Amino acid sequence: MKTLFGSAAINRKLPVNLAARLTIKADKRQRLQEKGFVEAEVHAILSAALHYFPHRERTRTTAAK
């Protein structure tokens, strides 16, 4: 709203920005999951690292890993 009314005020469609002092307070989002990895994710990441063969992939894929 601020951008819309601000643009209208700059282009002289409105005398002033009607939403200049408008604020909205939003609650913070709650985390649904703790930070870090769960055990299944850790297992998947580490087992993929064990089965890594550097010369069977494209160079870009190897660099990304």
Side-chain angles (χ1 to χ4, degrees):
M1 294 300 294
K2 286 183 182 183
T3 303
L4 178 67
F5 284 116
S7 177
I10 290 170
N11 293 320
R12 298 180 186 187
K13 303 290 182 187
L14 290 175
V16 292
N17 181 353
L18 301 173
R21 289 184 272 157
L22 182 69
T23 59
I24 298 173
K25 293 183 180 179
D27 293 334
K28 290 185 177 182
R29 291 176 135 188
Q30 291 183 350
R31 288 194 180 271
L32 300 177
Q33 186 179 23
E34 293 183 24
K35 289 183 178 181
F37 298 108
V38 295
E39 189 173 338
E41 293 169 329
V42 171
H43 179 71
I45 292 168
L46 294 177
S47 64
L50 287 174
H51 298 96
Y52 171 68
F53 300 105
H55 300 292
R56 294 185 181 180
E57 300 173 319
R58 293 174 46 191
T59 306
R60 293 176 114 188
T61 305
T62 304
K65 288 182 177 182

